[in-house]
Amino acid sequence: SEGSKARHYKWDVEYFFWSPDCVENVVMGINGQFPGPTIRAKAGDMVVVELTNKLHTEGVVIHWHGIRQFGTPWADGTASISQCAINPGETFIYRFKVDKAGTYFYHGHFGMQRSAGLYGSLIVDVEDGKKEPFHYDGEFDLLLSDWWHQSVHHQEVGLSSKPFRWIGEPQTLLINGRGQYNCSLAAHYSNSSSSQCRLRGREQCAPPILHVLPNKIYRLRIASTTALASLNLAIGNHKMVVVEADGNYVQPFAVDDLDIYSGESYSVLITTNQDPSNNYWLSVGVRGREPKTQQGLTILNYHPNSASKLPASSPPVTPLWNDYNHSKSFTNKIFASMGSPKPPRNYDRRITLLNTQNKLNGYTKWAINNVSLTLPPTPYLGSIKNGLRNAFNQENPPESFSNDYDVMKPPVNPNTTTGNGVYMLGMNTTVDVILQNANALSANVSEIHPWHLHGHDFWILGYGEGKFSTKDEKKLNLKNPPLRNTAVIFPYGWTALRFVADNPGAWAFHCHIEPHLHMGMGVVFAEGIQHLNRIPLEALACGLTGKMLMTTNNHN
Ligand SMILES: O=C1O[C@H]([C@@H](O)CO)C(O)=C1O
């Protein structure tokens, strides 16, 4: 359309010293900023990011989470899948269209670089002349994350050591990259041992205050790029009306608190109609795992109160970590808004993916249908396009798992295998995925896993308990299922998804918990790569010699 334009960014990715939680550490940031700069564009715009790798000894890529990359699969920013990691000193230009208004973010997608701090917000406004289907007077973007004091290198080595060393729970929860480790903003209200923070407000770890006027409506765009934590967000005295999820409008519904899993985003509307002589807490707490991390806090500051005026009551209490009924009741309120695209009535192929924690020669892994993903050195996009059959396992990974597998018990035989095969999907076919959760290695443990799909949105047709069976099919929602790019599986449960394989490319589908992906918890889908005319050489070959050799050997 006429108003669409290119939004140009020039970014350097580098490590620098920073104090995200008042403790100095090393972060991976962009142009000296942590989190990285916010991208703000309008639907229909072209985003162009000229990314230079200023790390000393590591490659890097950036994934634009929630952007489907129609026609530009090489810009999806997944190392080994859509491109070679960008070498130190090299510049790669990401060029892609943002075709749908919504709340998105971007993050590293090589090793565990997202955990190192490589992330930022990506907000797409409606195109000129169009309106959002709701009104608001102001907006805040809240990017939630979790933070460890141990370096990501240390974490990666621990996870792939024998015996396995788990990363543990985060030290601090961050809101827009800011949290407090050695003090609490709300110590005043509790009899805990932590001391009251004495922030002057200019520190890197000072909370991002939400300055509001009374009797207005604000849109909070909330996205979670946590490495591990499932979160619950609440604002004292204020209801939130959920209007958007993962860049798709939903039927508005009001809640007191909101569960958000890594990889998800929401927009909520709040009305500042409470006693204007007070300020109010915004709290973020851990759910789904036994919390060992203090709530993340900031303040909703009513004008003209001072931002340092403490609220009259203590921060909202996060629901119990294992109150899964609370989580499910929130999830079950999310439906597509009227006028949203509806799913096809039938599917062409159903893939059932069993999620298990396993062992491999004494190492701890996560496996999908007993295959733990290890990415090959050659990006799939190039090896599939060029028919390089030695680049990865050519057999189709398993479509399902054995009928007699008991999802309620630890695996009888915990030994798994590694693999790097690809689910080749027929172009424009309708694919159903049943994500099946199961018991982990220890008895009576089954964890939450948020699954994120690249290159597509999917419809969430339903959630259920225990093992998915054919009688569950009749209960699937084909009427108004929400479109999303991330869906959670609850402990011992299943989640049913449907999408149309209509976007030529190689697409990751994986657990968005960073250490779980590192341990193999993902699969790769590919469709229609033969329909792509030309893949930019710089995505598939590194350095000038790589490009030169690609050109001379390219017989396509
Ligand atoms: O992958 C994981 O490993 C640990 C635990 O299962 C073993 O220490 C944990 O909580 C995970 O999510």
Side-chain angles (χ1 to χ4, degrees), residues 8-13 47-54 59-64 69 72-79 81-96 379 381 534-543 547:
H8 207 279
Y9 299 84
K10 236 171 125 73
W11 286 359
D12 289 344
V13 176
V47 170
V48 182
V49 180
E50 226 175 288
L51 190 84
T52 300
N53 179 356
K54 291 277 180 78
V60 76
V61 293
I62 290 186
H63 168 59
W64 317 95
Q69 303 290 355
T72 52
W74 48 81
D76 193 42
T78 44
I81 301 174
S82 66
Q83 72 176 110
C84 296
I86 307 159
N87 279 324
E90 279 202 300
T91 300
F92 181 87
I93 303 176
Y94 289 99
R95 194 180 273 112
F96 55 89
L381 190 59
R534 191 192 152 268
I535 300 175
L537 296 180
E538 50 275 23
L540 304 179
C542 313
K547 275 166 210 119

Side-chain angles (χ1 to χ4, degrees), residues 354-425:
L354 174 69
N355 290 233
T356 54
Q357 194 182 25
N358 294 82
K359 288 285 188 182
L360 183 91
N361 307 325
Y363 296 97
T364 304
K365 296 283 179 189
W366 288 90
I368 305 307
N369 293 343
N370 212 37
V371 180
S372 183
L373 180 66
T374 42
L375 290 171
T378 310
Y380 291 108
L381 190 59
S383 54
I384 296 172
K385 170 80 180 168
N386 293 293
L388 306 176
R389 303 176 62 84
N390 294 330
F392 62 93
N393 303 156
Q394 295 294 304
E395 311 86 72
N396 194 68
E399 287 294 282
S400 190
F401 61 98
S402 153
N403 237 338
D404 51 29
Y405 191 95
D406 186 348
V407 300
M408 305 306 287
K409 302 239 168 66
V412 174
N413 171 6
N415 294 319
T416 191
T417 52
T418 55
N420 58 21
V422 174
Y423 291 92
M424 299 289 184
L425 309 177

